[in-house]
Amino acid sequence: MDLIVAGNWKMNMTLPEGREFLNDLKDYLSGKTIQSQLILGVPFIHLGESQGVKESGIYLAAQNCSQYSSGAYTGEVSAAQVESTGSEYVILGHSERRQYFGDSDHVINQKIREALSNNLRPIFCVGELLQERQNGNQENVVNLQLENGLNGISESEMEKIIIAYEPVWAIGTGETASPEQAEEMHASIRKRLGSLYTEDVAQKTPILYGGSVKPDNAKDIFGQPNVNGGLIGGASLKLDSYTELIRIAEELA
Ligand code: PGA
């Protein structure tokens, strides 16, 4: 399957900065045929650019949505509102949401259901803490996050889901999982999807790796058989590193 090069801007980029980045990216892509799927997780304020960048093959994703459909939830943004911008994706269950905003497995499951009912494709993040890996518990932790997050999600809905494995100890720390560690977990996730659903679902679900992916380590990580691309934070904020990651993905295509 084609690789996915997904950025995650987190809480960075003002409206003018985001517009400048997207215009420069459009210029970079112009005249090129790109196999990889390009997705950028942006703060809500940038989602209005979704329609304008799609023709260049850039898809914008929200970084969260509410578990509620509409109503008196001050400060929240619903899946329907995200969808109405022309955005097709939403990052859900990111460890920063789990850690700082209390998104539990149950809430993440509600958000995934809400996103799917509104025709959004969830990029569902899972990953263990450092302590959990040190205890050798990483596969159990990730399996539980998968089971809880995907509770009630049907086999046909799975066609819309992208999984992102992001070990918490590797996010923004400069420390990356080794290609072998990433491959091992991705294979384990695929196996779990096979037992929760079918072998077909397991093979067709894209599984991204995230956590300090940079141009100098991307080739080894993206080159693993069960890694279908990356969810990239820091290195997606600079045009030259993001385009370098696209170039690396294209080389592997
Ligand atoms: P990082 O972030 O690439 O800066 O480690 C990844 C993420 O949190 O999605």
Side-chain angles (χ1 to χ4, degrees):
M1 87 180 68
D2 293 334
L3 288 171
I4 298 176
V5 186
N8 178 8
W9 284 358
K10 309 193 178 183
M11 199 172 70
N12 296 294
M13 300 277 198
T14 61
L15 196 54
E17 286 165 351
R19 282 194 178 136
E20 192 186 333
F21 183 107
L22 293 173
N23 281 331
D24 290 348
L25 183 57
K26 274 165 62 171
D27 288 346
Y28 168 83
L29 293 170
S30 124
K32 295 189 176 66
T33 313
I34 300 283
Q35 287 283 319
S36 311
Q37 236 180 294
L38 309 182
I39 304 173
L40 281 171
V42 298
F44 292 123
I45 59 162
H46 301 285
L47 289 180
E49 312 287 325
S50 296
Q51 297 292 6
V53 296
K54 222 175 261 182
E55 61 206 27
S56 305
I58 308 163
Y59 291 83
L60 299 187
Q63 299 173 6
N64 181 34
C65 71
S66 174
Q67 65 269 48
Y68 305 115
S69 299
S70 67
Y73 300 101
T74 302
E76 288 292 282
V77 174
S78 71
Q81 289 172 318
V82 170
E83 197 273 339
S84 73
T85 66
S87 165
E88 293 171 30
Y89 297 87
V90 57
I91 299 172
L92 292 172
H94 191 279
S95 66
E96 287 150 18
R97 297 292 318 172
R98 294 178 189 261
Q99 194 178 346
Y100 305 133
F101 303 98
D103 284 14
S104 63
D105 281 355
H106 175 65
V107 165
I108 294 161
N109 176 250
Q110 287 179 306
K111 290 182 177 189
I112 292 177
R113 290 174 186 231
E114 204 42 46
L116 290 169
S117 324
N118 286 283
N119 226 7
L120 292 176
R121 295 194 61 183
I123 301 174
F124 169 35
C125 305
V126 294
E128 80 284 359
L129 304 170
L130 180 60
Q131 187 72 57
E132 292 163 338
R133 178 162 284 265
Q134 283 168 344
N135 293 342
N137 234 351
Q138 64 273 16
E139 290 188 4
N140 291 337
V141 168
V142 167
N143 278 340
L144 196 63
Q145 289 173 340
L146 281 176
E147 278 154 43
N148 291 338
L150 297 176
N151 183 27
I153 306 303
S154 70
E155 190 180 325
S156 64
E157 286 173 319
M158 281 305 290
E159 285 171 23
K160 299 226 148 201
I161 302 250
I162 297 170
I163 308 274
Y165 167 57
E166 300 205 306
V168 180
W169 47 272
I171 297 179
T173 57
E175 193 166 335
T176 329
S178 67
E180 295 74 27
Q181 283 172 321
E183 174 58 19
E184 189 178 36
M185 182 60 88
H186 282 230
S188 153
I189 292 172
R190 229 179 266 293
K191 191 162 163 235
R192 194 74 198 114
L193 292 176
S195 55
L196 288 172
Y197 295 94
T198 60
E199 190 47 31
D200 192 48
V201 168
Q203 291 309 322
K204 287 187 177 150
T205 305
I207 309 176
L208 313 182
Y209 169 80
S212 299
V213 174
K214 308 238 159 8
D216 62 5
N217 58 27
K219 196 173 173 185
D220 286 342
I221 295 175
F222 292 175
Q224 298 300 314
N226 280 297
V227 176
N228 307 113
L231 180 56
I232 299 126
S236 74
L237 289 170
K238 292 261 160 13
L239 192 77
D240 56 353
S241 46
Y242 186 63
T243 53
E244 183 57 14
L245 291 167
I246 298 173
R247 201 192 57 72
I248 292 167
E250 287 302 292
E251 234 176 58
L252 293 165

